[in-house]
Amino acid sequence: MTRKRVVIAGLGDVGVLTAIRLSRHADVVGISAKPALVSGQELGVRLSRPHDWARDYWIPFDRFRRLDGVRTVQAQLTGVDLIGRSVCCRDEDGRIITEDFDALIIATGVSNGFWRRPTLQSAAEIGAELRAAHERLAASGSVIVIGGGAASVSSALNLATTWPDKRIDLYFPGERALGEYHPRIWNRIRDRLTDRGVGIHPGHRAVVPGAFLCDEVTTEPVSWSTGQPPASADAVLWAIGLVRPNTDWLPRELLDDRGFVCVTPELRVPGHRGVFAVGDVAATDPLRSSARNRGDSLVANNVRADFAGRPMRSYKAPARRWGSLLGVQPDGLEVFFPSGHSFRFPRWSVERVVMPWIVRWGMYRGVRANDPLGYALRG
């Protein structure tokens, strides 16, 4: 029997995991604007400790053992022919590439600030971008972090931990940050922020400069629509959650009114057999939580079920977000549960058990050792 071809549009966190799960069951083609997995996770670690972040979250595709049978194409997606069942993309030389599919999995994610963009980049360009953001903040005596989500809270704490002599201030619009998590989690992290000298400023809604969408670190004073006087710092980090789905290449009929891909509970795109969406780009629930709750496993199972004519499973979204919020800290890795409780892995167990065995072997099915792209970070 001829093996089916699956095209995975987007090889970020969820796309790579989906490709790994399907690699032994179909001919898989992954299309990515990057030459590697460049995760959108752990912004705080990325900015404050880029070498540590690169080791765990910037991984060339050829280091994944289970991607050996997956053909990866570095190109920018430009369109899809749902009747002819093919996708089009353009590589860095401007050449048009067409890939046919029996099943298409849309996993192109979202854009969110300078750390999550769908632009074509080489390894050198990724490294230069990492280095520039880190050096920009390292040279600043004071930093304002704007936003009440996980990215902003993690950034404030990691910056304060790495540079305890800097003045770090966190501003957010609500009474508390981390509104999508259990209140107990914010109470715990607020204490850690305070212990590290971070100024906490609730009830501040920033006036976003009209000509930019938080795609750079700025220096101008920040004004507030909530009436407080402007605030100033050497650097302003905008992490206010202005996500934009990477769906410009898709027909409007597939999208909801915000541009996310409409899906059924089985993560199928309605009206188009063999077309699925998963991750931050999929309109599964208000939190678009299939990116963080094993949506990769479910969509891979459902693609195989579709090929075999078997019933598919349905995705059930959690009511609250959960997981690691702060990344690995000097005292280990704390994982928060939907109930608001947490468990901390000691630092030694993160280095000897969690990353090598649970993540690299358990999740990724084997990652080859290699230089963590330090050459690119050094320039």
Side-chain angles (χ1 to χ4, degrees):
M1 180 182 295
T2 303
R3 281 165 63 94
K4 300 289 189 179
R5 172 177 285 194
V6 179
V7 169
I8 301 177
L11 289 177
D13 294 297
V14 71
V16 164
L17 289 170
T18 303
I20 286 170
R21 291 187 175 277
L22 286 170
S23 62
R24 295 184 177 178
H25 305 282
D27 290 331
V28 179
V29 178
I31 301 174
S32 171
K34 317 297 182 188
L37 168 63
V38 183
S39 176
Q41 299 183 61
E42 307 294 4
L43 175 62
V45 177
R46 173 177 175 145
L47 294 173
S48 62
R49 292 178 281 128
H51 281 87
D52 291 348
W53 181 88
R55 181 189 59 239
D56 297 327
Y57 296 101
W58 179 11
I59 307 174
F61 295 132
D62 61 8
R63 287 183 59 194
F64 294 98
R65 296 180 184 275
R66 287 287 287 272
L67 292 187
D68 286 350
V70 173
R71 181 163 60 87
T72 59
V73 178
Q74 186 179 3
Q76 190 99 39
L77 289 153
T78 57
V80 59
D81 180 353
L82 294 171
I83 297 176
R85 302 183 74 74
S86 66
V87 296
C88 292
C89 49
R90 182 183 295 108
D91 69 12
E92 61 184 351
D93 295 322
R95 293 174 297 192
I96 300 300
I97 300 170
T98 300
E99 296 288 348
D100 298 329
F101 63 81
D102 294 299
L104 170 65
I105 301 174
I106 302 166
T108 43
V110 296
S111 297
N112 184 11
F114 58 83
W115 60 96
R116 296 179 77 180
R117 291 186 291 187
T119 52
L120 279 170
Q121 286 182 302
S122 66
E125 289 169 333
I126 295 168
E129 189 173 73
L130 276 176
R131 190 170 59 247
H134 170 75
E135 292 176 353
R136 174 73 183 82
L137 293 170
S140 301
S142 57
V143 180
I144 286 175
V145 182
I146 303 175
S152 56
V153 170
S154 169
S155 296
L157 186 124
N158 277 283
L159 294 175
T161 301
T162 299
W163 295 298
D165 294 334
K166 293 187 189 299
R167 177 172 65 83
I168 311 292
D169 288 281
L170 174 65
Y171 292 84
F172 49 90
E175 294 183 4
R176 66 179 181 91
L178 302 178
E180 296 171 341
Y181 295 80
H182 195 286
R184 189 180 290 121
I185 296 176
W186 167 241
N187 292 337
R188 182 175 179 85
I189 292 180
R190 180 188 57 202
D191 291 342
R192 298 187 71 170
L193 289 165
T194 301
D195 288 345
R196 284 164 175 73
V198 175
I200 299 174
H201 308 273
H204 285 67
R205 184 174 295 278
V207 176
V208 181
F212 108 109
L213 290 173
C214 312
D215 285 340
E216 61 185 57
V217 176
T218 59
T219 57
E220 292 78 12
V222 180
S223 299
W224 314 101
S225 63
T226 39
Q228 298 89 349
S232 299
D234 296 334
V236 179
L237 174 64
W238 297 79
I240 58 178
L242 285 181
V243 299
R244 290 98 70 193
N246 297 322
T247 54
D248 290 346
W249 61 285
L250 291 172
R252 188 67 187 83
E253 67 190 69
L254 304 189
L255 312 178
D256 67 9
D257 57 2
R258 297 183 59 206
F260 295 92
V261 181
C262 298
V263 292
T264 69
E266 296 78 24
L267 302 182
R268 290 193 309 111
V269 175
H272 298 280
R273 184 174 179 182
V275 181
F276 299 79
V278 66
D280 283 321
V281 77
T284 51
D285 60 285
L287 301 180
R288 301 183 309 281
S289 58
S290 68
R292 292 163 289 278
N293 293 278
R294 308 318 301 270
D296 57 284
S297 175
L298 187 138
V299 78
N301 172 83
N302 286 353
V303 167
R304 295 173 60 194
D306 187 43
F307 288 156
R310 301 194 311 265
M312 300 184 190
R313 300 205 307 256
S314 296
Y315 178 71
K316 295 180 175 59
R320 296 181 184 276
R321 286 192 172 175
W322 63 282
S324 167
L325 286 168
L326 306 173
V328 179
Q329 298 296 304
D331 61 353
L333 176 68
E334 192 167 16
V335 178
F336 296 91
F337 302 111
S339 64
H341 297 91
S342 66
F343 178 82
R344 185 176 64 82
F345 293 92
R347 183 65 181 257
W348 68 266
S349 72
V350 175
E351 297 171 350
R352 301 179 191 176
V353 179
V354 174
M355 296 308 299
W357 295 106
I358 297 177
V359 175
R360 297 189 184 110
W361 278 107
M363 289 178 57
Y364 292 129
R365 304 295 194 267
V367 179
R368 297 181 179 92
N370 199 0
D371 181 270
L373 302 182
Y375 71 93
L377 288 173
R378 290 192 296 270

